[in-house]
Amino acid sequence: MQDLAVTLSGYLSKLSLPSLGVTDILEIALISFFIYQFMVWIKFTRAYTLLKGILIVLLFILVAYILKMNTILWIIKNLSTILLTSVVVIFQPELRKMLEQLGQKKIVASIFPLDSGKEVQERFTDKTINELVKACFDMGEVRTGALIVIEQNIRLSEYERTGINVDAVLTSQLLINIFEHNTPLHDGAVLVRGNRIVAATCYLPLSDNMELSKQLGTRHRAGVGISEVSDSLTIIVSEETGQVSVAQNGELSRGLTSAELRSALIKAQNKKVVNNSKLRHLLKGRMKHEEHKAD
């Protein structure tokens, strides 16, 4: 036991901890901030799925390195420059969007939130849910076809660019007017972000799922298709039957009632209450403590 203690103390005596200055602390804080912002950006884009694929490739390279697979390592070494260029090309839209968002951010406010009280966080309000339900069943009664994509965590900017910008508060009257027959915006999908209609006449990818009913048309296949490549919730109103359907995670639920549609929207709303006043409470607590000391 004494030998172990002597050996351990001798080993620890050889260790030298680096000295930290103000510049080093500032550097660590900046790196941590940018890594955090990068992870937040990754979470809310389709790049998260691509990142998982890259991590699998890196894991494969690690296994090849451990098992001394020289041929595979030689191929990877020679293709490394091309692979890095490919990553930049693949992530080009997301990287551009990240830089734009970084320029619009209020950095100090994001690091030191001073707002007081509790805050309700939600993707859209209860009023938007009511307007969506009313619009869908009003259109169903008169056999007006509709395709409404509700964005969630994954940004759908690439599909937004295929349509016409609207950027208007979502109301049932506006939705009904957009999908009215023989109007300029009725053909294609409407993209909803938060409480606003951001674009109309958007083109969506069609599903290749062979298990879908042959009776379903292009509108339903497009609704399922966008749900396969994103976490969006898509509402489809059939022009033939007036039925309201919902597509999510590659699954299609047909013939929903207004209560069922409302339930799906409430789930997608993701309402939660958060306390964003920790810093303010800390500051107030310190001020009260100082006042008591002064008294």
Side-chain angles (χ1 to χ4, degrees), residues 108-165:
V108 176
S110 64
I111 297 175
F112 303 110
L114 293 174
D115 296 333
S116 62
K118 292 183 177 180
E119 178 187 358
V120 177
Q121 289 187 351
E122 56 190 7
R123 292 194 178 100
F124 41 84
T125 62
D126 294 337
K127 182 178 184 298
T128 296
I129 292 177
N130 295 333
E131 296 292 331
L132 281 166
V133 173
K134 183 179 186 305
C136 290
F137 283 90
D138 283 354
M139 287 187 287
E141 287 181 4
V142 295
R143 301 291 193 275
T144 299
L147 183 57
I148 305 168
V149 182
I150 300 171
E151 184 183 82
Q152 297 198 71
N153 289 329
I154 297 177
R155 299 279 291 189
L156 301 175
S157 300
E158 59 183 292
Y159 302 106
E160 177 187 348
R161 287 192 289 268
T162 65
I164 296 173
N165 290 334

Side-chain angles (χ1 to χ4, degrees), residues 64-79:
Y65 178 79
I66 293 172
L67 299 178
K68 307 294 184 183
M69 297 178 179
N70 296 323
T71 305
I72 294 176
L73 292 173
W74 179 84
I75 293 171
I76 293 169
K77 182 180 178 181
N78 285 274
L79 291 177

Side-chain angles (χ1 to χ4, degrees), residues 173-204:
Q173 295 90 339
L174 178 58
L175 280 172
I176 292 170
N177 191 61
I178 287 174
F179 288 111
E180 185 64 36
H181 295 289
N182 302 321
T183 56
L185 300 179
H186 86 282
D187 192 20
V190 158
L191 179 59
V192 175
R193 179 178 298 137
N195 298 305
R196 303 184 73 83
I197 298 173
V198 294
T201 70
C202 298
Y203 293 103
L204 304 180

Side-chain angles (χ1 to χ4, degrees), residues 246-262:
V246 164
Q248 193 169 24
N249 300 321
E251 300 289 335
L252 181 66
S253 302
R254 301 176 64 185
L256 269 64
T257 64
S258 60
E260 289 171 332
L261 176 59
R262 186 181 299 276

Side-chain angles (χ1 to χ4, degrees), residues 225-250:
I226 189 65
S227 73
E228 290 173 341
V229 299
S230 72
D231 63 348
S232 62
L233 183 144
T234 305
I235 305 172
I236 308 108
V237 181
S238 173
E239 191 172 346
E240 289 75 23
T241 65
Q243 281 190 339
V244 177
S245 305
V246 164
Q248 193 169 24
N249 300 321

